[in-house]
Structure formats: C-alpha cells, structure tokens
Amino acid sequence: MGQTIAEKIFSAHCKKECRAGDVVMAPVDGAMIHDITGPLAINVMKEMGGGKVFDPKKIIMLFDHQIPADSISAAENHVMMRKFAQEQGIHNYDIKEGVCHQVVPEKGRVKPGDIIVGSDSHTCAYGALGAFSTGIGSTDMAYVMKFGELYFRIPDTIRIDANGKFQNRVGPKDLILTMVGDIGADGATYRALEFCGRAFRDMDIPGRMTCANMAIEMGAKAGIVPPDKKTRDYLKGRCDYTPFDLESDGDAAFFEERSYDVAEISPKIAVPHNVDNVVDVSEVAGKHIDQVFIGSCTNGRYEDFVEAAEVLGDRKFSDDVRVIMVPASRDEYMKVLKAGLIEKFVDAGALFEAPCCGPCMGGAFGLLAPGEVSLSTSNRNFRGRQGSTASFVYLSSPSTAAASAISGVITDPREV
Amino acid sequence: MGRSWKFGDDIDTDAIIPGRFLTIYDPKELASHAFEGTRDEFSKEAKSGDVIIAGRNFGCGSSREHAPLALKGAGIGFVVAKSFARIFYRNAINTGVLPIVCEHTDKIPDGSEVSVNLPEAFIEADKKRYPLEPIPEFMMKIVEAGGLVEYAKMRGNK
Ligand code: SF4
C-alpha cells in the first residue's frame, strides 16, 4: 500500500517503513525557539544535565513576541537567551528579523521533506514548503536540543482537495477559515492535513503559509502542501537543496478526504471566542469595531498589505478605528516600504510598526479594554487573547480587515 | 481526595494562563494567575489533590508549557477530560500533570469530592466510579521515569 507525505517523510528519516500510528524516535532537521518559550526550554535543558546542544547549526533562535523588550522580565529573558546562544554557538536573529514563522522559511532554514520542530504551536506553518513541521512544548524542546531527536506518533492524514478560482477579494484566509469552521477546533487532532488540488497549486507561497499556519486551529499536527515549482522558486537563493518529488501515493490510505470548490467561498470571519465559530462576513456586517490589526505570522506579508492597499484605494481609515499594521519580518517590511505602501497607510490613519508579533497574543502592545472589539488578521480569537477577558476578537482576511477599517464596522470587502 | 474543578469544551491555553504572564516560569507564581479573568477563584482556592474535570479539546491553542506548569503550581495532579489538544497532552505528561481521557466527565459536577486511582484506572467522584482510558504505552515510559527531565537524565547517563 502506498504512503502519505507524512509517512514518507518519517520513513526517510527513520530509514525504515513507517506507517500512521507507529511511534518512532525521529531525528529533526531544525528546532526553533523564541523569546517566550525559549527560556523555559533552556532552563529545562539545564535540569536535564545541560551540556552542549546536539548541533548549534540546527537550532534557530529569535525574539519576536515581546520586542523591543516590553518589560524588565522580558529584557532579562532576552539577556539569558543571548548568553545561551553565545555559549552554544547558536546563531541568534535577536529582535531584528521578525516573527518566527516568517523568518524560518525566509532564511532558508526549512526545505521540503524536513522534520522541523518549534516551541510554538504555529510551527505547522512550514508545511507550506513541504516540510513536516510541528509545535512542541519547552520540555520536549529541551530534549530535542540535547539529543536532536524526539518521539513522534506518525499521524493519519486528512486530505483536502481544493479546486476552482477564488472570487475577487476572497482568498486563502477565507478558505482556511471555511475549513476550520467545517472540521472544528479539534477535528484534526493528532492528524496531518494535506492541502492538494488546483487551488493550492495556483496559490503563491504566502497564501500557502496562511493556510498551513492555521492547521493547528483544527488541532492538526501538521498541514502540508506538496512541494512544486513555486516551492523551488521560493527557496532559490535561500537554501541548498536538490528538488525531489514528494506527494502521496495514489493508493495511500487517508483518514478522511474533503473537497472544496473555492469559487463558492465568500468572505469569512471567525466570531468570538473560538476559531471555529466561522460565519460569512455578511452575517455580522455592520458590527462596530474599535481596533483593526493587520499582521501576524498568518497575514503579515507583503502580499497581505498589497491586498489591504487595493481595498483602501484613495480612501482614509475611519476615525473611530485604531488601525495597527505590523509586518511579519524585516524583509516584508522593506518590500512594503519600497512599494510606497507605508506612506499610504500612515496617511490614511494607520500606525505602521516594526516587525514583531504585536497585538496578536496580547503581550507587547495594542491590548483591548473590557467591552472593546478587535478585527484581526491573526489566527486566534480566544477570550482574552488580545487583552481583557471581556473584550472580543474577530478574525478575517486582510481585505475584510481593510474594508472594515475604512467603514468602522465589519464590512464585506466585495462591497467597498 | 480533592475537589473537582469543572470546565467545558475547548478550554484554551490563553484561558489557563494569559499571554501577559509568560515571562514567569515559577509554577507557584504562574498558579497565582491561572484562569485569571475567566475563573478567578481557582488560583485562590485550588489545592493539592484537586482535579480538573473538562470536556473536549482541553488545552487547545498555544504550545506554552506555562499552562500545565500553572496547574502543577496550583497542586493539580490530574486533568481528566473527554479529549486533549495534542501539544498540551505532551506537555502535561512531560511536566507531570497527568492528562487522562474519560468519556464520562459530563456526569461529574463541579465541587465533587474526587480521587483518581491510576493503577485501577478509575476516578471516584462523590462515591461513584467512572473508568479512565489508559495512558498510551510509550508515554507511560516517561510517566514512570517521573517526567521527561528524569527520562532524559537516565538517557544522558547511559
Ligand atoms: S504572530 Fe501571533 S500566532 Fe504568530 S508567532 Fe506571534 S504570537 Fe504566535
């Protein structure tokens, strides 16, 4: 019987035939730690007896959640991590480069067929490049840093077949929100998702990253797009790798198969307080919002800002809405800058910040007061995620966020 | 013996420990902010031996290990739920707050007198017994070693 992508990746790493359900100790090609979960992993590694990391070149360190340090304790964590990087010979991207899930692919630290772990749940994002990547906790990370391998249970796969062409102002975020709504917040727990079909083949790498990023919002362990020419083009100049075919065999066993015609998808929005509370934007249109956040590892790329700028046109953002824009990385920031979009956004009334996680997780800045409503292009709308537990977070595409920021109320982007 | 703290479905890690407390890593200090803003009495009243009883998908969301650590700091030894989010499950095993699957949690009310009997795989709540699902075998190795840190030490010394 044939194999799924996940089974193939584990078979290649473990040098034996691996099947869904098998528990294996597998070597990893990369391990990412950031300023929130890294300190704990470093401390736990010391508790495990310390010593040298398995391979400093395979450890990726950066700071993105609380930067520039927003508290003395954050600053202390940064100092502690810098010291660890120096002692161990790990390259630290520090506060300069941006959000982990943008920086790791951008710096060529992931390639198709890799197994990558990160002490961050959205590590599944690198599936956009055909890797098996997954989020782990700090203690597992400590173990990986020390031994270079980890126990995995090889997941079953849910195959998504998406075809057709998106309507104008509808895109990857609307598709992934549709899937989260259908599959549910725990519908893919312990499983991998494979994103296949024409719609994914047509999708650019940023769009694939948006989708793979949110695999975890269905509980999935990984969300993988089979690598193709777009993947190779993206990786050109970023890392050395010899392209190879990586897709499921025709007779591979899937746990479930689902198909979508993306032409039928209208703009979607996740309403408080669960990511799978997904409705058509039209159902909540007219709802007042206090803040709009365009950014995060889900939708903080150049293409997302272009999308927002197209919706904005020559208009201004509403005076009643605080618009906070945060690109996901320094590279994306520079692209937006060079395209003249920052001037346009600031002129329209937005705040344009340097790359970081920003308001996404209610840590550094842009927190909400009780009763306030935020519309965000990020990936989670849990109660209290962006501030007070009495505030409300809605999730949408950059187009819907921009359209709503113009009118001051939730707005279908096809109508502006 | 302890009391049950009853929660619903999809309890996320932001609810267990909000993002603004993630610079802390002392379990006791984390515990003082556990469920802050959603269930404030928990951090004041929870004590050693208490058990969390929940519905589906407990611990969904972030990979923050601060979540099981905050529960550990509050004295929680077991979380009994219908199902768990994957990363939380691993983190809980690793940090020694045992996540146990039980399909009968609906029948256990908040504030019941509960105790978990792991060897015989049942939870007793207000004198009634409900069966628990066993912890998967490969995870048991870590539990038996006393958590992943101890497991790693054993491996490191080999
Ligand atoms: S942008 Fe948000 S979801 Fe992405 S890594 Fe940062 S906090 Fe996590």
Side-chain angles (χ1 to χ4, degrees):
Chain A
M1 196 178 58
Q3 289 187 305
T4 63
I5 294 180
E7 288 169 331
K8 287 186 180 183
I9 293 177
F10 278 99
S11 297
H13 280 74
C14 300
K15 302 196 168 52
K16 62 174 185 189
E17 190 181 301
C18 294
R19 292 285 172 188
D22 293 353
V23 175
V24 294
M25 185 63 106
V28 306
D29 302 290
M32 184 278 296
I33 54 174
H34 59 51
D35 54 341
I36 293 282
T37 53
L40 199 50
I42 293 169
N43 280 343
V44 175
M45 190 183 137
K46 287 182 185 144
E47 276 176 51
M48 286 176 175
K52 285 280 171 197
V53 298
F54 77 106
D55 182 352
K57 287 196 184 58
K58 290 189 176 162
I59 303 206
I60 306 152
M61 182 191 288
L62 49 82
F63 307 159
D64 53 0
H65 283 63
Q66 294 185 291
I67 62 156
D70 59 7
S71 63
I72 294 167
S73 49
E76 285 172 340
N77 283 345
H78 295 173
V79 168
M80 178 264 213
M81 287 185 74
R82 285 185 192 114
K83 186 161 165 274
F84 180 76
Q86 208 167 21
E87 286 165 4
Q88 298 276 354
I90 297 166
H91 179 78
N92 173 21
Y93 294 104
D94 215 285
I95 69 167
K96 290 193 297 284
E97 295 294 344
V99 182
C100 49
H101 307 311
Q102 182 59 25
V103 175
V104 170
E106 212 167 77
K107 298 290 175 194
R109 306 293 296 257
V110 54
K111 57 186 188 310
D114 276 358
I115 296 179
I116 309 271
V117 293
S119 54
D120 187 285
S121 59
H122 293 103
T123 301
C124 52
Y126 322 145
L129 295 170
F132 186 96
S133 63
T134 196
I136 60 173
S138 296
T139 300
D140 273 341
M141 180 52 81
Y143 192 89
V144 169
M145 290 199 296
K146 204 166 154 57
F147 299 111
E149 54 184 18
L150 190 66
Y151 273 122
F152 293 89
R153 184 160 79 183
I154 299 167
D156 282 308
T157 294
I158 299 176
R159 186 185 166 100
I160 307 288
D161 188 35
N163 288 289
K165 285 221 178 307
F166 286 109
Q167 297 169 42
N168 192 24
R169 292 196 175 158
V170 181
K173 185 62 165 289
D174 302 295
L175 171 60
I176 195 69
L177 284 174
T178 305
M179 283 184 215
V180 177
D182 290 349
I183 293 175
D186 63 349
T189 303
Y190 289 112
R191 317 234 143 82
L193 296 165
E194 261 183 41
F195 297 120
C196 306
R198 181 92 256 157
F200 281 104
R201 285 199 296 279
D202 287 347
M203 206 180 280
D204 57 11
I205 299 293
R208 294 177 188 182
M209 286 177 173
T210 300
C211 293
N213 180 286
M214 290 188 72
I216 181 70
E217 306 315 329
M218 292 164 264
K221 196 163 185 168
I224 308 174
V225 183
D228 59 9
K229 181 168 183 306
K230 289 197 170 84
T231 320
R232 292 195 290 280
D233 290 347
Y234 179 87
L235 289 173
K236 208 169 282 164
R238 296 182 199 270
C239 67
D240 282 333
Y241 97 104
T242 318
F244 59 98
D245 284 338
L246 183 60
E247 53 182 14
S248 288
D249 295 322
D251 57 346
F254 294 107
F255 179 81
E256 193 187 339
E257 295 185 55
R258 286 175 178 262
S259 56
Y260 288 90
D261 177 357
V262 303
E264 286 171 7
I265 292 174
S266 32
K268 297 284 177 187
I269 190 161
V271 305
H273 294 287
N274 288 101
V275 189
D276 58 356
N277 284 343
V278 175
V279 300
D280 281 344
V281 169
S282 56
E283 282 182 45
V284 285
K287 163 113 198 130
H288 170 76
I289 46 176
D290 299 290
Q291 181 165 298
V292 166
F293 166 48
I294 300 184
S296 86
C297 55
T298 319
N299 283 115
R301 283 170 278 275
Y302 170 70
E303 290 73 8
D304 300 310
F305 292 102
V306 168
E307 199 180 300
E310 277 169 13
V311 173
L312 179 64
D314 295 329
R315 284 171 286 221
K316 301 266 181 254
F317 293 123
S318 164
D319 276 339
D320 293 337
V321 180
R322 310 183 294 269
V323 181
I324 302 176
M325 296 180 154
V326 189
S329 74
R330 186 163 67 124
D331 279 11
E332 299 304 300
Y333 186 102
M334 290 302 281
K335 282 191 259 177
V336 180
L337 177 77
K338 285 179 180 156
L341 298 182
I342 297 183
E343 192 178 342
K344 185 180 165 86
F345 291 137
V346 174
D347 199 41
L351 262 72
F352 202 93
E353 304 284 341
C356 65
C357 294
C360 176
M361 66 145 235
F365 58 83
L367 277 77
L368 303 171
E372 284 199 309
V373 179
S374 154
L375 176 56
S376 173
T377 65
S378 55
N379 46 36
R380 284 195 178 133
N381 60 348
F382 300 151
R383 190 186 294 278
R385 172 80 177 176
Q386 295 185 357
S388 163
T389 48
S391 63
F392 302 88
V393 180
Y394 291 73
L395 305 174
S396 78
S397 71
S399 288
T400 301
S404 308
I406 296 163
S407 53
V409 295
I410 291 173
T411 302
D412 188 323
R414 295 170 302 183
E415 286 164 13
V416 295
Chain B
M1 271 296 173
R3 65 157 282 188
S4 67
W5 289 90
K6 182 75 178 276
F7 291 87
D9 292 339
D10 298 318
I11 298 300
D12 58 75
T13 51
D14 282 81
I16 301 170
I17 184 80
R20 59 190 180 282
F21 302 119
L22 300 184
T23 54
I24 303 170
Y25 25 85
D26 174 56
K28 282 257 173 307
E29 216 184 319
L30 283 168
S32 69
H33 300 290
F35 297 107
E36 192 164 308
T38 50
R39 194 145 182 202
D40 289 330
E41 77 278 17
F42 179 86
S43 61
K44 295 182 199 87
E45 294 166 19
K47 52 185 191 326
S48 179
D50 287 1
V51 176
I52 288 186
I53 305 288
R56 281 170 40 209
N57 204 23
F58 187 85
C60 61
S62 129
S63 69
R64 60 187 72 160
E65 210 157 285
H66 309 70
L69 283 180
L71 301 182
K72 189 179 186 174
I76 300 289
F78 299 96
V79 180
V80 178
K82 284 191 195 165
S83 67
F84 291 89
R86 182 185 59 81
I87 306 176
F88 179 89
Y89 188 87
R90 283 277 283 244
N91 289 348
I93 295 265
N94 289 345
T95 51
V97 178
L98 295 191
I100 315 226
V101 176
C102 170
E103 57 183 71
H104 307 285
T105 57
D106 283 347
K107 298 174 197 146
I108 303 173
D110 189 49
S112 317
E113 200 167 276
V114 290
S115 64
V116 171
N117 183 324
L118 206 52
E120 292 176 51
F122 67 81
I123 177 168
E124 191 171 294
D126 293 338
K127 312 232 153 31
K128 284 197 211 72
R129 288 182 176 189
Y130 305 97
L132 302 173
E133 285 183 22
I135 292 175
E137 213 179 310
F138 84 104
M139 284 288 168
M140 251 347 256
K141 282 193 239 162
I142 293 165
V143 173
E144 279 161 6
L148 191 62
V149 170
E150 297 307 316
Y151 184 87
K153 278 191 201 159
M154 277 160 40
R155 176 173 173 180
N157 293 339
K158 260 188 223 153

